[in-house]
Amino acid sequence: MRLQLDNRKTYDVNAMFRPSKVGRATAWGIFSQNLSAWPKGLVIPFEFQVTRSGLRNWFIVFSLHTLSLLLLPLLCLFGYSTRAYAFFTKEDDIKLQRYRIELQQVYAKLSHIEDQDEYQSRLKEEIAKIKPF
């Protein structure tokens, strides 16, 4: 079940409780990262124009988010996190940073090509070689 808040973000409520095996260290990192996001979630209704349905959805999402955060330390002991929190891990962030650097190198390497069609085709080939996902 997905709920949309007034800030136009949607949240998958079921994913907050669906376990995902990620390893202890990664699970603990995910827990601490999402624990620091808890205060930000608390102020969402005060940052945007509030509607009745948005406030109701925020209350449901925030309550379930708090409950799932309380369960995360127990899951971390066994190397699990929840799917909602583990969809983008630190390893993915490292891959994305490496991809950005390699992409800048590709742009620099192909900057001398003046023909737009050739540039686009070569760019597509080079990006296909370095895509992390």
Side-chain angles (χ1 to χ4, degrees), residues 82-98:
T82 60
R83 185 154 293 172
Y85 305 129
F87 72 94
F88 193 79
T89 61
K90 286 192 184 251
E91 291 100 22
D92 293 336
D93 191 37
I94 292 168
K95 286 180 189 177
L96 190 59
Q97 288 175 0
R98 190 177 315 127

Side-chain angles (χ1 to χ4, degrees), residues 4 8 15 22-23 26 28 42-43 45 59 67-69 75 78 80 85-86 90 92 98-99 102 117 132:
Q4 182 174 352
R8 299 280 187 236
V22 293
T26 304
W28 188 254
L42 190 60
V43 297
F59 183 74
L67 181 62
S68 69
L69 277 177
L75 291 173
F78 302 103
Y80 282 87
Y85 305 129
K90 286 192 184 251
D92 293 336
R98 190 177 315 127
Y99 174 68
E102 291 174 354
D117 293 333

Side-chain angles (χ1 to χ4, degrees), residues 33-133:
Q33 185 179 21
N34 283 289
L35 189 61
S36 66
W38 189 84
K40 294 176 189 172
L42 190 60
V43 297
I44 288 174
F46 305 109
E47 294 178 342
F48 299 93
Q49 187 175 3
V50 180
T51 62
R52 214 177 280 188
S53 66
L55 188 61
R56 183 196 69 221
N57 288 347
W58 170 81
F59 183 74
I60 293 169
V61 167
F62 189 73
S63 300
L64 293 175
H65 172 67
T66 303
L67 181 62
S68 69
L69 277 177
L70 291 172
L71 295 174
L72 276 181
L74 179 64
L75 291 173
C76 288
L77 292 175
F78 302 103
Y80 282 87
S81 183
T82 60
R83 185 154 293 172
Y85 305 129
F87 72 94
F88 193 79
T89 61
K90 286 192 184 251
E91 291 100 22
D92 293 336
D93 191 37
I94 292 168
K95 286 180 189 177
L96 190 59
Q97 288 175 0
R98 190 177 315 127
Y99 174 68
R100 286 182 184 144
I101 292 168
E102 291 174 354
L103 194 58
Q104 289 175 347
Q105 292 171 350
V106 166
Y107 286 139
K109 185 172 108 177
L110 299 177
S111 65
H112 70 281
I113 299 175
E114 304 226 359
D115 182 27
Q116 196 66 15
D117 293 333
E118 182 182 349
Y119 176 79
Q120 289 297 326
S121 65
R122 296 265 314 270
L123 184 63
K124 285 181 184 177
E125 290 173 9
E126 293 293 326
I127 289 176
K129 291 178 188 175
I130 63 171
K131 266 190 180 173
F133 303 106

